[in-house]
Coordinates of all heavy atoms in Angstrom, one line a residue:
I550 N 183.2 60.1 35.9 CA 183.1 61.5 36.3 C 183.6 62.4 35.1 O 184.7 62.3 34.8 CB 184.0 61.7 37.5 CG1 183.5 60.8 38.8 CG2 184.0 63.1 38.0 CD1 184.3 60.9 40.0
L551 N 182.6 63.1 34.7 CA 182.9 63.9 33.4 C 182.2 65.3 33.5 O 181.4 65.5 34.3 CB 182.3 63.1 32.2 CG 182.9 61.9 31.9 CD1 182.0 61.2 30.8 CD2 184.3 62.0 31.5
N552 N 182.7 66.2 32.6 CA 182.1 67.6 32.6 C 180.9 67.7 31.8 O 180.9 67.1 30.7 CB 183.2 68.6 32.0 CG 184.2 69.0 33.0 OD1 184.4 68.4 34.1 ND2 185.1 70.0 32.6
C553 N 179.9 68.3 32.4 CA 178.6 68.5 31.7 C 178.2 70.0 31.8 O 178.6 70.7 32.6 CB 177.5 67.7 32.4 SG 177.9 65.9 32.4
V554 N 177.4 70.4 30.7 CA 176.9 71.9 30.8 C 175.9 71.9 31.9 O 175.1 71.0 32.1 CB 176.4 72.3 29.4 CG1 177.5 72.4 28.4 CG2 175.2 71.3 29.0
I555 N 175.7 73.0 32.5 CA 174.8 73.3 33.5 C 173.7 74.1 33.0 O 173.8 75.2 32.4 CB 175.4 74.0 34.7 CG1 176.6 73.2 35.2 CG2 174.4 74.2 35.9 CD1 177.3 74.1 36.4
I556 N 172.5 73.6 33.2 CA 171.3 74.3 32.7 C 170.8 75.2 33.9 O 170.3 76.3 33.7 CB 170.1 73.4 32.3 CG1 170.6 72.4 31.3 CG2 168.9 74.0 31.7 CD1 171.3 73.1 30.0
S557 N 170.7 74.6 35.1 CA 170.4 75.3 36.3 C 171.1 74.9 37.5 O 171.1 73.7 37.9 CB 168.8 75.1 36.6 OG 168.3 75.8 37.7
S558 N 171.9 75.7 38.0 CA 172.9 75.2 38.9 C 172.3 75.0 40.4 O 171.3 75.6 40.9 CB 174.0 76.4 39.3 OG 174.8 76.2 40.3
N559 N 172.9 74.1 41.1 CA 172.4 73.7 42.5 C 172.5 75.0 43.4 O 171.9 75.0 44.4 CB 173.3 72.5 43.1 CG 174.9 73.0 43.1 OD1 175.3 74.0 43.3 ND2 175.5 71.9 42.9
L560 N 173.4 76.0 42.9 CA 173.5 77.2 43.8 C 172.0 77.9 43.7 O 171.9 78.9 44.5 CB 174.6 78.1 43.3 CG 175.9 77.5 43.3 CD1 176.9 78.4 42.7 CD2 176.4 77.3 44.8
N561 N 171.2 77.6 42.7 CA 170.0 78.3 42.5 C 168.9 77.6 43.0 O 167.7 77.9 42.7 CB 169.9 78.6 41.0 CG 169.0 79.7 40.7 OD1 168.9 80.7 41.5 ND2 168.2 79.7 39.6
H562 N 169.1 76.4 43.9 CA 167.9 75.6 44.3 C 168.1 75.5 45.9 O 169.3 75.3 46.4 CB 168.1 74.2 43.7 CG 168.1 74.1 42.2 ND1 167.4 73.2 41.7 CD2 168.4 75.0 41.3 CE1 167.4 73.4 40.2 NE2 168.1 74.4 40.1
S563 N 167.0 75.6 46.4 CA 166.9 75.6 48.0 C 165.6 74.8 48.4 O 164.9 75.5 49.2 CB 167.0 77.1 48.5 OG 166.0 77.8 48.1
V564 N 165.3 73.7 48.0 CA 164.1 73.0 48.4 C 164.3 72.4 49.7 O 165.4 71.9 50.1 CB 163.9 71.8 47.3 CG1 162.8 70.9 47.6 CG2 163.8 72.5 45.9
M565 N 163.5 72.5 50.5 CA 163.3 72.1 51.9 C 162.2 71.1 52.3 O 161.2 71.0 51.3 CB 163.3 73.3 52.8 CG 164.4 74.3 52.5 SD 164.1 75.9 53.6 CE 165.3 76.9 52.9
Q566 N 162.2 70.7 53.4 CA 161.1 69.8 53.8 C 159.7 70.4 53.8 O 158.7 69.7 53.4 CB 161.4 69.2 55.3 CG 160.3 68.1 55.6 CD 160.7 67.6 57.0 OE1 160.4 68.2 58.0 NE2 161.3 66.4 57.1
R567 N 159.6 71.7 54.0 CA 158.3 72.4 53.9 C 157.8 72.4 52.6 O 156.5 72.4 52.5 CB 158.5 73.9 54.5 CG 159.2 74.8 53.4 CD 159.6 76.1 54.0 NE 160.0 77.0 53.0 CZ 160.7 78.2 53.3 NH1 160.9 78.4 54.5 NH2 161.2 78.9 52.3
H568 N 158.5 72.1 51.6 CA 158.0 72.1 50.2 C 157.4 71.0 49.8 O 156.8 70.9 48.6 CB 159.2 72.4 49.2 CG 159.8 73.8 49.4 ND1 161.2 74.0 49.6 CD2 159.3 75.1 49.6 CE1 161.3 75.3 49.8 NE2 160.2 76.0 49.9
Y569 N 157.3 69.9 50.7 CA 156.4 68.6 50.4 C 155.0 69.1 50.2 O 154.2 68.5 49.5 CB 156.6 67.7 51.5 CG 158.0 66.8 51.2 CD1 159.1 67.5 51.4 CD2 157.9 65.5 50.9 CE1 160.3 66.7 51.4 CE2 159.0 64.9 50.6 CZ 160.2 65.4 50.9 OH 161.4 64.7 50.7
L570 N 154.5 70.2 50.9 CA 153.3 70.7 50.8 C 153.3 72.2 50.5 O 154.4 73.0 50.7 CB 152.5 70.7 52.2 CG 152.3 69.3 52.8 CD1 151.8 69.4 54.1 CD2 151.5 68.4 51.8

Side-chain angles (χ1 to χ4, degrees):
I550 298 176
L551 299 170
N552 282 12
C553 303
V554 292
I555 302 173
I556 309 304
S557 182
S558 172
N559 56 31
L560 300 175
N561 204 31
H562 297 219
S563 56
V564 179
M565 306 176 192
Q566 187 177 77
R567 71 185 185 201
H568 297 132
Y569 281 70
L570 299 175

